[in-house]
Amino acid sequence: MAEDSASIRSLRSPLGRARGMGSAKGGTRHWWMQRVTSIALLPLSIWLIFSLTRLMGADYVVVLEWIGNTFNAVLLLAFLTAAFHHAAAGLQVVIEDYVRDELKRFAAICAVNGLAVLLWLAASLSVLRIAL
Amino acid sequence: MARIKDAREAAMVGRRSDGTLTRRPLSPHLQVYDMTQMTSLLSILHRITGVAWSVGLVLLVWWLVAAGTGQSAFATAQWVFGSFLGWVVLFGLTVAAWYHTLAGIRHLFWDAGHGFAMDAAYRSGRLVVIGTAVLTILTWLLILV
């Protein structure tokens, strides 16, 4: 009984106290990276939306020239990287909130993250192919 | 007490004052919130527009891959985006993109600890809605003019 109240006072698990190494430190990484990528996406998506307005229905050559421009290609790659990280992180939270079955939840999170990586690679390869 | 079906519910078991076991309510969900309130409606809209942006991202990948593949693949993509349905989808994505961007800024302010008072939350909510309308119209003026 006395031991019980002591452990409640310290708010640390017995194993945590024995090791004495502090917190795991990575616990907020998912949440934090979502905020960091959102700040990066702020200027990048504004730039992309306004750039795309001028490419609606544009000729093939004009579009190739725009993507091939070094400045645009770098920003496109940066946008794709931040956007897919942010989208996968967000969709994972949606799945964690709504999918109750453990196995289905794990499968859905794997599928979303795997798909995000594949689509990011496909789009990046296309940009590089045009720009190089 | 009904049987527990999900492991997470184990943390939700409590006792009434007379000592009998009871299942505490889980955190509120869509059907509990009053969706005629702007705060809760804008909250779920942020999530919905985030998912919509993810779909838009797939369309962007298609457009880029088509451009990298060749003239005919790109012509197909441009034809789809230029069709009536394509314009409807792109207009919807414009709304979703601007809403998610502005509501995202609102969330970053909250993360920094600002704007939690009721009047401030309603004011920033109204700003997000008005800003989305203005930026969507501006974007489509740039496309059409």
Side-chain angles (χ1 to χ4, degrees), chain A residues 74-118:
Chain A
V74 167
L75 288 189
L76 261 177
L77 291 173
F79 172 84
L80 289 167
T81 307
F84 272 110
H85 189 294
H86 189 80
L91 289 175
Q92 178 171 334
V93 173
V94 173
I95 291 165
E96 283 165 352
D97 281 354
Y98 300 140
V99 182
R100 301 214 71 179
D101 184 79
E102 200 104 27
L103 188 63
K104 278 185 198 155
R105 190 163 65 237
F106 177 69
I109 290 171
C110 285
V112 157
N113 282 289
L115 212 60
V117 170
L118 287 177

Side-chain angles (χ1 to χ4, degrees), chain A residues 31 35 38-39 42 45-46 48-50 52-53 55-60 63-64 67 76 79-80 83-84 86-87 91 93-94 96-100 105 119 122-123 126-127 129-130, chain B residues 6-9 26 29 44 47 51 53-54 57-58 60-61 63-71 74 78 81 87 90 94 97-98 100-101 105 107-108 111 135 138-140 142-143:
Chain A
W31 184 91
R35 268 67 193 170
S38 79
I39 293 167
L42 212 51
S45 43
I46 291 169
L48 182 70
I49 292 170
F50 283 126
L52 288 179
T53 60
L55 294 170
M56 280 277 281
D59 286 337
Y60 186 50
V63 173
L64 282 192
I67 298 172
L76 261 177
F79 172 84
L80 289 167
F84 272 110
H86 189 80
L91 289 175
V93 173
V94 173
E96 283 165 352
D97 281 354
Y98 300 140
V99 182
R100 301 214 71 179
R105 190 163 65 237
L119 289 171
S126 238
V127 172
R129 184 187 270 173
I130 295 166
Chain B
D6 189 289
R8 283 175 291 182
E9 287 178 28
L26 289 165
H29 213 308
I44 193 62
R47 183 162 270 196
V51 174
W53 231 138
S54 309
L57 218 47
V58 177
L60 177 69
V61 172
W63 188 73
L64 287 171
V65 168
T69 305
Q71 186 124 37
F74 186 74
Q78 283 297 71
F81 287 126
W87 276 53
L90 287 178
T94 315
W98 284 126
H100 196 78
T101 301
I105 296 171
H107 270 280
L108 285 174
D111 290 336
L135 285 169
L138 178 71
T139 308
W140 279 83
L142 286 173
I143 292 171

Side-chain angles (χ1 to χ4, degrees), chain A residues 4-74:
Chain A
D4 266 4
S5 54
S7 63
I8 288 169
R9 257 203 307 279
S10 77
L11 282 178
R12 287 186 76 178
S13 70
L15 183 64
R17 239 179 316 134
R19 285 184 173 158
M21 293 165 75
S23 80
K25 296 185 179 68
T28 55
R29 185 177 168 77
H30 184 100
W31 184 91
W32 180 249
M33 283 312 290
Q34 215 177 347
R35 268 67 193 170
V36 170
T37 49
S38 79
I39 293 167
L41 281 168
L42 212 51
L44 286 171
S45 43
I46 291 169
W47 162 81
L48 182 70
I49 292 170
F50 283 126
S51 298
L52 288 179
T53 60
R54 286 180 287 117
L55 294 170
M56 280 277 281
D59 286 337
Y60 186 50
V61 185
V62 177
V63 173
L64 282 192
E65 219 165 87
W66 182 80
I67 298 172
N69 177 290
T70 308
F71 178 81
N72 293 334
V74 167

Side-chain angles (χ1 to χ4, degrees), chain B:
Chain B
M1 196 175 71
R3 280 187 59 202
I4 285 174
K5 296 194 196 76
D6 189 289
R8 283 175 291 182
E9 287 178 28
M12 306 307 292
V13 176
R15 280 183 193 279
R16 292 197 188 86
S17 52
D18 62 6
T20 54
L21 289 171
T22 181
R23 185 187 296 173
R24 293 199 201 97
L26 289 165
S27 61
H29 213 308
L30 262 187
Q31 67 272 21
V32 183
Y33 284 119
D34 177 7
M35 276 301 148
T36 56
Q37 276 191 323
M38 187 173 70
T39 42
S40 46
L41 180 67
L42 296 193
S43 172
I44 193 62
L45 271 179
H46 188 58
R47 183 162 270 196
I48 292 169
T49 52
V51 174
W53 231 138
S54 309
V55 177
L57 218 47
V58 177
L59 295 179
L60 177 69
V61 172
W62 179 40
W63 188 73
L64 287 171
V65 168
T69 305
Q71 186 124 37
S72 69
F74 186 74
T76 310
Q78 283 297 71
W79 179 83
V80 171
F81 287 126
S83 68
F84 176 73
L85 199 65
W87 276 53
V88 171
V89 169
L90 287 178
F91 184 81
L93 283 175
T94 315
V95 177
W98 284 126
Y99 179 86
H100 196 78
T101 301
L102 295 175
I105 296 171
R106 188 172 177 234
H107 270 280
L108 285 174
F109 271 100
W110 281 335
D111 290 336
H114 302 294
F116 282 116
M118 278 312 281
D119 59 333
Y122 274 95
R123 209 177 322 121
S124 61
R126 273 195 296 273
L127 274 176
V128 167
V129 173
I130 294 166
T132 304
V134 170
L135 285 169
T136 304
I137 292 168
L138 178 71
T139 308
W140 279 83
L141 276 179
L142 286 173
I143 292 171
L144 295 169
V145 175

